[in-house]
CSV table of all heavy atoms in Angstrom, one decimal:
chain,number,residue,atom,x,y,z
A,46,GLY,N,-14.4,-12.6,20.0
A,46,GLY,CA,-13.1,-12.0,19.5
A,46,GLY,C,-12.9,-12.3,18.1
A,46,GLY,O,-13.4,-13.3,17.6
A,47,THR,N,-12.1,-11.5,17.4
A,47,THR,CA,-11.8,-11.7,16.0
A,47,THR,C,-10.3,-11.5,15.8
A,47,THR,O,-9.7,-10.6,16.3
A,47,THR,CB,-12.5,-10.6,15.2
A,47,THR,OG1,-13.9,-10.7,15.4
A,47,THR,CG2,-12.3,-10.8,13.7
A,48,PRO,N,-9.7,-12.5,15.1
A,48,PRO,CA,-8.2,-12.3,14.8
A,48,PRO,C,-8.0,-11.1,14.0
A,48,PRO,O,-8.7,-10.9,13.0
A,48,PRO,CB,-7.9,-13.6,14.1
A,48,PRO,CG,-9.0,-14.6,14.3
A,48,PRO,CD,-10.2,-13.7,14.6
A,49,SER,N,-7.0,-10.3,14.4
A,49,SER,CA,-6.8,-9.0,13.6
A,49,SER,C,-6.4,-9.3,12.2
A,49,SER,O,-6.8,-8.5,11.3
A,49,SER,CB,-5.7,-8.2,14.3
A,49,SER,OG,-4.5,-9.0,14.4
A,50,THR,N,-5.8,-10.5,11.9
A,50,THR,CA,-5.4,-10.8,10.6
A,50,THR,C,-6.5,-11.1,9.6
A,50,THR,O,-6.4,-11.0,8.4
A,50,THR,CB,-4.4,-12.0,10.6
A,50,THR,OG1,-5.0,-13.1,11.3
A,50,THR,CG2,-3.1,-11.6,11.2
A,51,SER,N,-7.7,-11.5,10.2
A,51,SER,CA,-8.8,-11.8,9.4
A,51,SER,C,-9.7,-10.6,9.0
A,51,SER,O,-10.5,-10.6,8.1
A,51,SER,CB,-9.7,-12.9,10.0
A,51,SER,OG,-10.4,-12.3,11.1
A,77,ILE,N,-10.8,-3.8,22.6
A,77,ILE,CA,-9.6,-4.1,23.3
A,77,ILE,C,-8.9,-5.3,22.6
A,77,ILE,O,-9.5,-6.1,21.9
A,77,ILE,CB,-9.9,-4.5,24.8
A,77,ILE,CG1,-10.8,-5.7,24.9
A,77,ILE,CG2,-10.4,-3.3,25.6
A,77,ILE,CD1,-11.0,-6.3,26.3
A,78,ARG,N,-7.6,-5.3,22.7
A,78,ARG,CA,-6.8,-6.3,22.0
A,78,ARG,C,-6.2,-7.2,23.1
A,78,ARG,O,-5.8,-6.8,24.1
A,78,ARG,CB,-5.7,-5.7,21.2
A,78,ARG,CG,-6.1,-4.7,20.2
A,78,ARG,CD,-4.9,-4.1,19.5
A,78,ARG,NE,-5.1,-2.8,18.9
A,78,ARG,CZ,-4.7,-2.5,17.7
A,78,ARG,NH1,-3.9,-3.3,17.0
A,78,ARG,NH2,-5.0,-1.3,17.3
A,79,LYS,N,-6.3,-8.5,22.8
A,79,LYS,CA,-5.7,-9.5,23.7
A,79,LYS,C,-4.9,-10.5,22.9
A,79,LYS,O,-5.3,-10.8,21.7
A,79,LYS,CB,-6.8,-10.2,24.5
A,79,LYS,CG,-7.6,-9.4,25.4
A,79,LYS,CD,-8.7,-10.2,26.1
A,79,LYS,CE,-9.5,-9.4,27.0
A,79,LYS,NZ,-10.6,-10.2,27.7
A,80,LYS,N,-3.9,-11.1,23.5
A,80,LYS,CA,-3.1,-12.1,22.8
A,80,LYS,C,-4.0,-13.3,22.5
A,80,LYS,O,-4.8,-13.6,23.4
A,80,LYS,CB,-1.9,-12.5,23.6
A,80,LYS,CG,-0.8,-11.6,23.6
A,80,LYS,CD,0.5,-12.2,24.1
A,80,LYS,CE,1.6,-11.2,23.9
A,80,LYS,NZ,2.9,-11.8,24.0
A,81,ASN,N,-3.8,-13.9,21.4
A,81,ASN,CA,-4.6,-15.1,21.0
A,81,ASN,C,-4.0,-16.2,21.9
A,81,ASN,O,-2.9,-16.6,21.7
A,81,ASN,CB,-4.4,-15.4,19.5
A,81,ASN,CG,-5.3,-16.5,19.0
A,81,ASN,OD1,-5.7,-17.3,19.8
A,81,ASN,ND2,-5.5,-16.5,17.8
A,84,ASP,N,-2.5,-18.9,19.7
A,84,ASP,CA,-1.3,-18.6,18.9
A,84,ASP,C,-0.8,-17.3,19.5
A,84,ASP,O,-1.3,-16.2,19.2
A,84,ASP,CB,-1.8,-18.3,17.4
A,84,ASP,CG,-0.6,-17.9,16.6
A,84,ASP,OD1,0.5,-17.8,17.1
A,84,ASP,OD2,-0.8,-17.7,15.4
A,85,GLY,N,0.3,-17.4,20.3
A,85,GLY,CA,0.8,-16.3,21.0
A,85,GLY,C,1.3,-15.1,20.1
A,85,GLY,O,1.5,-14.0,20.6
A,86,ARG,N,1.5,-15.4,18.8
A,86,ARG,CA,2.0,-14.4,17.9
A,86,ARG,C,0.8,-13.5,17.5
A,86,ARG,O,1.0,-12.4,17.1
A,86,ARG,CB,2.6,-15.0,16.7
A,86,ARG,CG,3.9,-15.8,17.0
A,86,ARG,CD,4.3,-16.6,15.8
A,86,ARG,NE,3.2,-17.5,15.5
A,86,ARG,CZ,3.1,-18.2,14.3
A,86,ARG,NH1,4.0,-18.1,13.4
A,86,ARG,NH2,2.1,-19.1,14.1
A,87,GLY,N,-0.4,-14.0,17.6
A,87,GLY,CA,-1.6,-13.3,17.0
A,87,GLY,C,-2.3,-12.5,18.1
A,87,GLY,O,-2.1,-12.7,19.3
A,88,VAL,N,-3.2,-11.7,17.6
A,88,VAL,CA,-4.0,-10.8,18.5
A,88,VAL,C,-5.5,-11.0,18.2
A,88,VAL,O,-5.8,-11.1,17.0
A,88,VAL,CB,-3.6,-9.3,18.3
A,88,VAL,CG1,-4.5,-8.4,19.1
A,88,VAL,CG2,-2.1,-9.1,18.7
A,89,LEU,N,-6.3,-11.1,19.2
A,89,LEU,CA,-7.7,-11.1,19.1
A,89,LEU,C,-8.3,-9.8,19.5
A,89,LEU,O,-7.8,-9.2,20.4
A,89,LEU,CB,-8.4,-12.2,19.9
A,89,LEU,CG,-8.0,-13.7,19.6
A,89,LEU,CD1,-8.7,-14.6,20.6
A,89,LEU,CD2,-8.6,-14.0,18.2
A,90,ILE,N,-9.2,-9.3,18.7
A,90,ILE,CA,-9.9,-8.1,19.0
A,90,ILE,C,-11.3,-8.3,19.5
A,90,ILE,O,-12.1,-9.1,18.9
A,90,ILE,CB,-9.9,-7.2,17.7
A,90,ILE,CG1,-8.5,-6.9,17.2
A,90,ILE,CG2,-10.7,-5.9,18.0
A,90,ILE,CD1,-8.5,-6.4,15.8
A,91,TYR,N,-11.5,-7.7,20.7
A,91,TYR,CA,-12.8,-7.9,21.3
A,91,TYR,C,-13.6,-6.6,21.4
A,91,TYR,O,-12.9,-5.5,21.6
A,91,TYR,CB,-12.7,-8.4,22.8
A,91,TYR,CG,-12.2,-9.8,22.8
A,91,TYR,CD1,-10.8,-10.1,22.8
A,91,TYR,CD2,-13.0,-10.9,22.9
A,91,TYR,CE1,-10.3,-11.4,22.9
A,91,TYR,CE2,-12.6,-12.2,23.0
A,91,TYR,CZ,-11.2,-12.5,23.0
A,91,TYR,OH,-10.7,-13.7,23.0
Side-chain angles (χ1 to χ4, degrees):
T47 304
S49 58
T50 53
S51 73
I77 55 171
R78 302 178 205 220
K79 296 181 182 177
K80 283 194 174 198
N81 187 338
D84 179 1
R86 300 168 296 167
V88 173
L89 292 176
I90 300 169
Y91 291 88

